[in-house]
Amino acid sequence: MRNCLLFLAVLFSVAAHSNVVHEERSLYRNIIVDETRDLRCLKFNTKSSQTSQSCMYKNDPDKLVFNYTKLTFASLLVTDDPKNVLVIGLGGGTLSNVIHELYPAAKIHNVEIDPAVLKVARDYFNFIETDNVTSSVQDGRIFIKRAAIKKQKYDWIILDAFNGDYIPEHLLTKEFFEEVQSVLADGGVIAANTFSSSKLYEHESATYHAVFGDFINVSRANRSNRIILAGIKTIPTQAQLNERINALAPRLKKYDVDIKAISTYMQSTKNNRDWPADTKVLTDQYSPANLLNF
């Protein structure tokens, strides 16, 4: 009982110090930007939940807040010096900003379905746009279909779309992953932000494996996030990993990313397949919404 009262006291304390600085109803959702002391967050308020999509420390905007954004940089241990980066799902633009600082010559294209989210990223989260950092207001799947027709290729594709409840269903199917695979450059990697705690865990794993073969899970014990690294043709040797860790560690430190620790969270499915062999693959005909409740 005492622990419950303590939790409620903390909750009410945080709420009391929370200040909504922007709120609007977009075409897709309710959007809130609020501040709690030094922390500014973009939130999607849906019928079933209110979830933080992106946060930044106002006094230290370089420092990453979320565990999953830090884990995403495990990608750089399996691909080298990305030149063309595609990000599906903008949020506050945090990932794009860090990648741009790390690789200023890289071309980064962000795709966001909701124009209101893009405006909020610009107005409240220091989203950087340059000749090399561009954005489109478009459904991510449509963008990739058109990129495939144009024979465009990307060596780092980040799938980070979220509708407030879960990843949109049409961005979870075998057909979609095949479309993503068609725009992945040789030597590139796909990094997908998803969850360890979802009831879709096994279905997602089976679907990624059906398209890409063995992939790498990046997740910490007792944490809900996982990053899937897929499309990797050649797994680096331990010597190559160590070399990349040593090169990246000082560059990522300012963002509070401990790449050496993150490397220990990486586990290939080659010898660690943790879903039943008969798990049903998600398709455009089979992607049931009831499984999204996790």
Side-chain angles (χ1 to χ4, degrees):
M1 180 67 178
R2 183 184 175 193
N3 288 341
C4 181
L5 291 173
L6 181 61
F7 172 77
L8 288 173
V10 171
L11 185 65
F12 286 128
S13 175
V14 170
H17 289 88
S18 178
N19 176 40
V20 174
V21 296
H22 178 78
E23 186 171 8
E24 68 176 289
R25 172 66 185 170
S26 78
L27 291 169
Y28 300 93
R29 55 183 71 90
N30 291 316
I31 294 174
I32 298 168
V33 179
D34 70 12
E35 295 178 354
T36 305
R37 300 184 180 89
D38 183 41
L39 192 66
R40 175 179 290 171
C41 291
L42 165 64
K43 297 180 178 180
F44 293 164
N45 193 8
T46 66
K47 290 181 180 179
S48 61
S49 65
Q50 184 182 98
T51 53
S52 292
Q53 304 305 303
S54 188
C55 291
M56 63 176 278
Y57 297 108
K58 292 187 294 178
N59 293 328
D60 191 3
D62 285 335
K63 186 177 179 181
L64 294 177
V65 177
F66 288 142
N67 179 54
Y68 89 86
T69 53
K70 298 176 185 181
L71 296 182
T72 303
F73 289 94
S75 306
L76 299 176
L77 297 177
V78 295
T79 192
D80 194 31
D81 192 21
K83 301 288 195 303
N84 289 288
V85 182
L86 177 63
V87 183
I88 305 295
L90 179 66
T94 302
L95 279 169
S96 178
N97 284 358
V98 174
I99 296 167
H100 174 60
E101 287 191 4
L102 289 170
Y103 302 99
K107 293 192 178 299
I108 305 167
H109 193 75
N110 297 275
V111 181
E112 170 57 50
I113 195 171
D114 192 339
V117 171
L118 178 58
K119 187 175 187 305
V120 164
R122 289 167 174 162
D123 292 346
Y124 294 95
F125 292 90
N126 303 336
F127 174 47
I128 298 167
E129 292 174 283
T130 69
D131 289 343
N132 281 346
V133 182
T134 53
S135 54
S136 294
V137 175
Q138 196 170 34
D139 180 276
R141 186 159 181 180
I142 292 172
F143 180 90
I144 285 177
K145 281 178 181 288
R146 292 177 178 174
I149 292 170
K150 297 174 188 174
K151 301 191 182 305
Q152 293 172 331
K153 297 285 183 179
Y154 302 91
D155 41 27
W156 190 5
I157 301 173
I158 299 172
L159 304 179
D160 192 25
F162 197 75
N163 61 19
D165 291 320
Y166 204 72
I167 301 162
E169 291 177 44
H170 68 299
L171 304 184
L172 279 174
T173 68
K174 180 174 181 285
E175 292 87 345
F176 172 64
F177 294 151
E178 288 169 345
E179 292 161 3
V180 175
Q181 186 180 48
S182 74
V183 297
L184 182 66
D186 289 340
V189 63
I190 296 156
N193 174 32
T194 181
F195 295 87
S196 302
S197 57
S198 167
K199 290 180 181 177
L200 274 175
Y201 180 93
E202 293 177 353
H203 294 276
E204 286 182 61
S205 297
T207 307
Y208 272 95
H209 193 270
V211 176
F212 301 106
D214 285 315
F215 56 86
I216 293 173
N217 276 317
V218 190
S219 62
R220 297 176 64 180
N222 304 318
R223 296 292 185 94
S224 62
N225 286 103
R226 72 162 164 164
I227 298 295
I228 292 175
L229 301 181
I232 307 161
K233 294 293 190 291
T234 305
I235 302 294
T237 64
Q238 190 58 52
Q240 289 173 320
L241 280 175
N242 291 339
E243 184 178 342
R244 289 180 181 177
I245 289 167
N246 291 334
L248 287 166
R251 299 177 63 199
L252 292 172
K253 187 176 180 181
K254 68 178 287 191
Y255 308 107
D256 196 28
V257 175
D258 185 344
I259 196 65
K260 185 174 183 179
I262 288 171
S263 71
T264 67
Y265 310 146
M266 299 168 64
Q267 191 170 68
S268 172
T269 59
K270 185 174 183 180
N271 299 311
N272 297 280
R273 199 173 301 182
D274 58 355
W275 63 92
D278 62 350
T279 300
K280 202 161 186 178
V281 169
L282 299 172
T283 67
D284 286 347
Q285 287 71 44
Y286 178 81
S287 188
N290 63 303
L291 290 175
L292 299 179
N293 297 318
F294 60 104

